[in-house]
Amino acid sequence: MHYDYLLVGAGLFNATLANIFVSKGKKCLVIDKRSHIAGNIFTENLDGINVHKYGAHIFHTDNKDVWNYVNSLAEFNRYTNCPVANYNGTLYNLPFNMNTFAKIWSDVITPEDAQKRITEQAAEMAGRIPQNLEEQAISLVGRDIYERLIKGYTEKQWGRKCTELPASIIKRLPVRLTFDNNYFNDRYQGIPIGGYTQIIEKMLEGCDIQLNTDFFDDKEKWFSLADKIIYTCTIDKYFDYQFGELEYRSLRFETETLEKTNFQGNAVINYTDAETPYTRIIEHKHFEPENKAAMEKPVTIITREYPATWKKGDEPYYAVNDERNSVLYAKYKELADKQDKVIFGGRLGMYRYFDMDDTIIAAWEMAKKLF
Ligand code: UDP
């Protein structure tokens, strides 16, 4: 069988594209080296609880078309992400809002008090443009919050000092002078009832799928099989690391089933001190609070998330968009643009941080260029 498209990787990016290709009558083959579809948004039902196998995935978007699209594939619940931070045993609300400020500074009662205290603390940065994440954080919320809620978490997550990280990482964290614990500013938010895997299943309807199949085991065969290839694995690997390795951050997940109904009372608790080796604990049943059977069951499933430095053979999760890597990526991108048969997509193929909605939008844009 000859295909119009071979899609390497069965994650959200390729599934979005495949859905369009099939609707246009194209023949598609999707391969993935894992034993399942859905990439990192894969959820698996264990003990009646949908487990986010590769970390917490909360769908949020400002784009109405994207929201309508995902809602046409599954029913979404009204989950709102309100993570809590645990700093050496004391709990604080995230993102930084009046609940956080009132807890950290006991004399802060009103938004005016909070603003005054933040301004006082940010004064140490007076007149200087923040050059790194530490300076950016202090000018945004002051040193008290930086030291309790940002420093330890960020240094664990990225494996380097906040003074050596770009300010841009922290820019997406909201700071609010209201009592609003909703982590995201987007208009639409929720989790698909029954998990994410069913969404990808629907998107891939009409495609041939081969799991446990590594593109690199037989590149030539895959090339001969299709007119075009959409490749969503790492871009440097495709080019045999010829300019050197791009850097990624990896994650290790430790999942445990506990004989209790409710372990932490929230889906996500961040551990923001430097000593705790993990960055967060996810308690999966809280992502679907409308699932009464799971909520009342005297069993719960939790996952501890440990950040890790990526080395060949590990799962890459995040691109590290610092200067060295950006320069290196630009070289690979130049090569990629010269390929007439292969197109690079997704977080790893485009070496970029994508939320789920951005992933769908990027795939739609690619489809527009193709047709
Ligand atoms: N962050 C932090 N403390 C927290 C949560 C986040 O300092 O409790 C910072 C940290 O620098 C992190 C960035 O905000 O890298 C983005 O965090 P988020 O949890 O949004 O990233 P995710 O891993 O979920 O994409």
Side-chain angles (χ1 to χ4, degrees):
M1 166 92 119
H2 192 79
Y3 293 93
D4 295 304
Y5 290 99
L6 168 73
L7 298 112
V8 182
L12 182 59
F13 186 89
N14 268 348
T16 307
L17 267 185
N19 197 205
I20 297 171
F21 294 160
V22 169
S23 75
K24 295 195 179 294
K26 304 289 178 196
K27 283 203 201 72
C28 299
L29 171 64
V30 182
I31 63 170
D32 200 297
K33 70 172 181 199
R34 287 181 179 163
S35 59
H36 60 76
I37 59 165
N40 287 349
I41 69 171
F42 176 64
T43 48
E44 185 178 32
N45 194 288
L46 298 172
D47 279 327
I49 298 166
N50 290 306
V51 175
H52 295 215
K53 294 290 270 196
Y54 301 93
H57 282 83
I58 299 124
F59 202 96
H60 57 96
T61 188
D62 253 340
N63 184 307
K64 198 166 185 179
D65 293 335
V66 169
W67 185 240
N68 287 341
Y69 176 59
V70 294
N71 276 269
S72 75
L73 299 164
E75 189 183 345
F76 276 65
N77 68 10
R78 47 163 291 274
Y79 178 84
T80 301
N81 195 32
C82 299
V84 169
N86 180 327
Y87 176 73
N88 291 330
T90 304
L91 301 177
Y92 300 92
N93 286 111
L94 294 171
F96 310 126
N97 72 81
M98 283 303 294
N99 290 306
T100 329
F101 305 139
K103 178 97 180 235
I104 223 154
W105 300 307
S106 59
D107 57 339
V108 164
I109 307 290
T110 65
E112 228 175 322
D113 298 340
Q115 186 57 66
K116 193 164 156 257
R117 185 60 65 85
I118 292 171
T119 309
E120 273 165 25
Q121 293 222 343
E124 69 172 280
M125 278 297 301
R128 279 192 296 140
I129 295 169
Q131 296 300 320
N132 55 51
L133 195 147
E134 175 171 300
E135 295 184 0
Q136 174 72 29
I138 291 170
S139 65
L140 211 63
V141 285
R143 189 168 280 278
D144 287 346
I145 290 184
Y146 167 66
E147 280 176 358
R148 274 182 251 184
L149 303 181
I150 298 175
K151 190 172 190 291
Y153 183 94
T154 304
E155 293 188 346
K156 284 190 288 188
Q157 190 174 36
W158 294 98
R160 60 180 79 168
K161 298 261 166 260
C162 285
T163 47
E164 288 157 20
L165 284 164
S168 58
I169 293 179
I170 205 88
K171 280 187 185 148
R172 67 171 186 263
L173 268 183
V175 177
R176 297 196 193 108
L177 294 177
T178 55
F179 291 90
D180 179 3
N181 296 325
N182 177 3
Y183 199 65
F184 300 116
N185 284 323
D186 287 341
R187 178 148 176 206
Y188 310 105
Q189 179 174 182
I191 305 252
I193 297 170
Y196 286 94
T197 308
Q198 53 170 344
I199 291 189
I200 302 293
E201 250 161 36
K202 284 200 189 143
M203 287 172 153
L204 293 178
E205 265 169 27
C207 300
D208 287 345
I209 301 170
Q210 276 185 37
L211 299 173
N212 303 303
T213 301
D214 191 337
F215 175 73
F216 292 98
D217 283 348
D218 200 346
K219 239 169 136 178
E220 268 177 40
K221 171 180 136 193
W222 300 118
F223 257 85
S224 67
L225 224 61
D227 290 345
K228 274 217 181 308
I229 297 174
I230 316 285
Y231 171 93
T232 60
C233 183
T234 49
I235 187 167
D236 52 346
K237 182 170 185 183
Y238 182 87
F239 292 112
D240 221 5
Y241 305 103
Q242 59 181 273
F243 301 130
E245 284 174 33
L246 286 164
E247 212 180 331
Y248 302 88
R249 287 299 290 164
S250 191
L251 296 170
R252 185 167 61 80
F253 298 105
E254 235 175 58
T255 298
E256 206 184 326
T257 302
L258 304 174
E259 304 288 323
K260 52 175 80 181
T261 310
N262 185 2
F263 168 70
Q264 63 182 16
N266 205 30
V268 185
I269 308 246
N270 290 357
Y271 284 77
T272 58
D273 62 282
E275 292 73 33
T276 306
Y278 41 86
T279 45
R280 44 193 163 194
I281 300 183
I282 293 165
E283 186 172 10
H284 300 270
K285 62 162 66 173
H286 295 298
F287 287 125
E288 294 180 61
E290 70 287 343
N291 182 349
K292 291 277 178 301
M295 289 303 280
E296 284 161 14
K297 207 176 171 150
V299 166
T300 193
I301 301 177
I302 63 165
T303 300
R304 292 186 180 81
E305 183 176 317
Y306 296 82
T309 300
W310 178 86
K311 49 185 183 354
K312 265 191 208 166
D314 293 346
E315 290 287 350
Y317 285 88
Y318 296 99
V320 182
N321 294 105
D322 63 7
E323 200 163 325
R324 174 202 169 261
N325 290 300
S326 302
V327 169
L328 193 52
Y329 170 68
K331 285 169 101 177
Y332 283 118
K333 169 88 170 61
E334 208 184 312
L335 269 191
D337 288 341
K338 287 189 194 131
Q339 311 296 309
D340 49 0
K341 193 160 176 168
V342 187
I343 301 166
F344 296 76
R347 254 193 201 202
L348 303 176
M350 295 164 100
Y351 199 67
R352 202 183 300 167
Y353 185 91
F354 276 134
D355 281 326
M356 287 180 277
D357 60 335
D358 297 329
T359 305
I360 292 174
I361 293 166
W364 282 350
E365 276 166 9
M366 185 170 287
K368 245 188 244 162
K369 273 192 218 150
L370 285 168
F371 293 105

